[in-house]
Amino acid sequence: MTSLELRYATLSVPRYTSYPTAPHFSEEVTAEDYGAWLKAIPSDQPLSLYLHVPFCQEMCHYCGCNTKATKKIAPVVAFAETLKREIALVVGHLGRNRPVQHIHWGGGTPSLLPRDAFLSILNQLQEAFHFTDDLEHAIELDPRTVTPYLAQTLTMGGINRASLGVQDFDHAVQQAIGRVQSFECVEMACHALRDVGITEINFDLMYGLPHQTPETLSQTVALTRKLAPGRIALFGYAHVPWFKKHQQLIEETALPDASARIALSDVARSALIDAGYTAIGLDHFALPDDSMAIALHEGTLRRNFQGYTTDKANTLIGFGPSSIGFLPMGYVQNTHETREWTRQVEQDHLPIKKGIAVSADDLCRAHIIERLMTAYHVDIAEASAHYGVPLSSFVDCFERLNPLAEDGLVTISGDRVKVTDVGERYVRVIAAAFDAYLHASTARHSVAV
């Protein structure tokens, strides 16, 4: 690792699961704006739905999600009723029978919803929307909660993809992050899901965790391969104790330094590729016959709030506290606090806290950033013409790219930008050259690698 590479790897830049990014949302966008935007969506436009369930049985030390621990079922049941009420509010503005081609349950641990509550929510969604024949219906799961009963519940609800939060198989690492789960526990979860026909399984793995070493991480990848998930997301742990107070439970002296963190990323990436996985962008991997690997080769890969995705819908409707939606007119985000979200919904108000209306310039830059993040190349002139944005708007972007080109991260040919093999790991830094908001912002972001 050269000093130059280390400098790029430790730069603080957004993950670009949206553009503009969430720190630039403001309260200027209101519930009234959202209601009008919903009504303006063409009736035949495919939708994606995201449902956020902000409960876990216990808090993992590393968690950066909007969730809280509960041992009681009553708050979860009450939440389900409020969620149904929010769905009804949105449908009232949006209209019924809209086509839905992707549903994602996140959290938190959405599987904490009791069977009756979970199926009741799904019945309401099925009555309100038209589920397309190619619907991908995904849910995030804590392997420790997966039982044959839960697997049966999920298949009753039409779930056809499950994402298991594995993170790491090393016991010392698990103890340090407050997430102890044996290989046998994860193996039983996979068997339970596959036994009921849920064969599309994702794993989430992490690097940069306390006490991780190249050897332990290599063993985690080896054990992962035994369970043969079709997709793997490999995330760098973002230590933000000023934002997520429970991360203070992680001993900072046990975290790898910048060089060790990069080495861990390299080890995991190489081990996954050696195990037969195709690298997808900066942090996803898929078996060659998985639809995500196919989308990569066909040039149809997308990026949204779930990271890299095969979801082609241009409209995402979010439900639940903190959920983010994207519509052709802009982004909206629900209030984070479950209590305030509940109060707003019970008063028949769309629980929007903030958002941002997007301009043609925003949409053009979003396209450029997404192409860089998914395909590693983009024609700026072509994007400029498509969105009606003057090419001169990107003069400063090329100026920011020039040093990266000199350092071998990109090549620039006329108006075409291509990420080099060396630059792929720093693609967030390259994408940031086109971020019109970043350079005037004081928002804190995770490091690039």
Side-chain angles (χ1 to χ4, degrees):
M1 175 61 60
T2 67
S3 60
L4 184 68
E5 290 173 322
L6 185 61
R7 177 168 63 83
Y8 281 122
T10 54
L11 288 177
S12 174
V13 285
R15 293 184 181 273
Y16 292 116
T17 54
S18 71
Y19 181 84
T21 56
H24 305 294
F25 296 0
S26 77
E27 295 184 13
E28 291 181 10
V29 171
T30 66
E32 288 71 25
D33 294 319
Y34 183 38
W37 291 357
L38 287 169
K39 290 178 181 177
I41 297 173
S43 60
D44 61 346
Q45 182 168 307
L47 309 176
S48 289
L49 309 180
Y50 172 74
L51 301 100
H52 188 84
V53 181
F55 297 101
C56 291
Q57 289 183 337
E58 58 187 63
M59 288 294 294
C60 302
H61 304 344
Y62 64 86
C63 183
C65 302
N66 179 42
T67 187
K68 60 182 178 181
T70 181
K71 297 292 186 182
K72 300 177 181 178
I73 198 62
V76 183
V77 173
F79 167 84
E81 290 303 310
T82 309
L83 186 64
K84 289 169 63 179
R85 194 160 174 173
E86 184 190 7
I87 292 168
L89 276 173
V90 169
V91 172
H93 289 81
L94 184 62
R96 304 181 72 84
N97 207 36
R98 299 296 186 101
V100 168
Q101 62 184 33
H102 190 102
I103 302 174
H104 189 99
W105 297 77
T109 308
S111 57
L112 291 185
L113 289 166
R115 175 180 282 187
D116 288 349
F118 177 67
L119 295 180
S120 179
I121 294 167
L122 276 169
N123 286 338
Q124 181 183 7
L125 290 174
Q126 287 178 310
E127 291 175 359
F129 297 97
H130 166 63
F131 289 4
T132 61
D133 293 339
D134 60 348
L135 172 73
E136 178 168 287
H137 194 171
I139 191 167
E140 298 171 12
L141 299 173
D142 179 338
R144 300 170 298 179
T145 70
V146 179
T147 63
Y149 179 83
L150 173 63
Q152 184 184 52
T153 300
L154 298 179
T155 196
M156 289 169 63
I159 297 291
N160 53 28
R161 181 175 293 280
S163 182
L164 300 179
V166 174
Q167 321 315 347
D168 193 289
F169 279 117
D170 184 79
H171 185 68
V173 175
Q174 291 181 352
Q175 285 186 312
I177 63 175
R179 179 66 172 261
V180 177
Q181 56 192 19
S182 66
F183 171 80
E184 290 74 22
C185 169
V186 180
E187 184 179 38
M188 286 190 292
C190 291
H191 284 322
L193 294 167
R194 286 171 173 147
D195 285 346
V196 297
I198 302 174
T199 58
E200 303 296 334
I201 294 177
N202 305 355
F203 276 15
D204 287 345
L205 303 180
M206 297 184 78
Y207 67 88
L209 295 173
H211 304 301
Q212 263 184 340
T213 67
E215 293 73 25
T216 63
L217 192 50
S218 293
Q219 180 64 10
T220 286
V221 173
L223 291 172
T224 293
R225 188 65 185 97
K226 285 185 178 181
L227 299 179
R231 297 179 188 174
I232 294 168
L234 176 68
F235 298 120
Y237 168 60
H239 191 59
V240 288
W242 62 86
F243 181 57
K244 294 294 181 180
K245 299 300 183 185
H246 56 270
Q247 289 189 355
Q248 294 174 5
L249 295 170
I250 289 181
E251 185 182 352
E252 292 196 3
T253 57
L255 291 170
D257 62 19
S259 294
R261 179 184 172 94
I262 294 165
L264 288 168
S265 171
D266 286 344
V267 164
R269 186 178 183 88
S270 296
L272 287 167
I273 292 171
D274 289 345
Y277 286 88
T278 298
I280 311 285
L282 74 154
D283 54 15
H284 282 49
F285 300 82
L287 291 176
D289 61 349
D290 185 273
S291 58
M292 183 171 284
I294 294 170
L296 173 70
H297 293 304
E298 292 180 346
T300 59
L301 187 68
R302 299 292 304 277
R303 187 165 174 83
N304 64 16
F305 296 108
Q306 277 75 57
Y308 291 100
T309 180
T310 58
D311 180 12
K312 296 181 178 130
N314 291 318
T315 298
L316 170 67
I317 308 296
F319 300 99
S322 78
S323 64
I324 298 176
F326 175 68
L327 298 81
M329 308 81 175
Y331 293 94
V332 291
Q333 183 169 25
N334 280 353
T335 184
H336 279 71
E337 292 294 329
T338 301
R339 184 175 299 178
E340 176 60 16
W341 170 81
T342 300
R343 187 184 71 82
Q344 291 285 340
V345 173
E346 289 182 346
Q347 292 180 359
D348 291 332
H349 293 158
L350 292 168
I352 298 302
K353 176 66 174 178
K354 56 186 177 179
I356 188 168
V358 292
S359 64
D361 184 81
D362 291 330
L363 292 171
C364 185
R365 291 172 186 267
H367 170 79
I368 291 169
I369 289 171
E370 184 179 47
R371 289 295 296 167
L372 287 170
M373 297 284 289
T374 58
Y376 292 132
H377 63 84
V378 66
D379 186 324
I380 308 302
E382 184 179 273
S384 171
H386 179 78
Y387 289 94
V389 176
L391 190 57
S392 58
S393 302
F394 303 103
V395 170
D396 60 336
C397 303
F398 282 100
E399 290 175 355
R400 286 193 285 267
L401 283 177
N402 284 333
L404 307 186
E406 291 172 2
D407 291 334
L409 274 60
V410 296
T411 59
I412 303 171
S413 178
D415 298 315
R416 297 185 180 186
V417 178
K418 188 177 187 306
V419 181
T420 66
D421 291 344
V422 173
E424 286 184 6
R425 71 186 309 165
Y426 312 112
V427 67
R428 288 165 57 189
V429 176
I430 297 165
F434 293 91
D435 189 335
Y437 297 83
L438 180 65
H439 305 283
S441 170
T442 58
R444 300 175 75 171
H445 302 282
S446 60
V447 292
V449 177

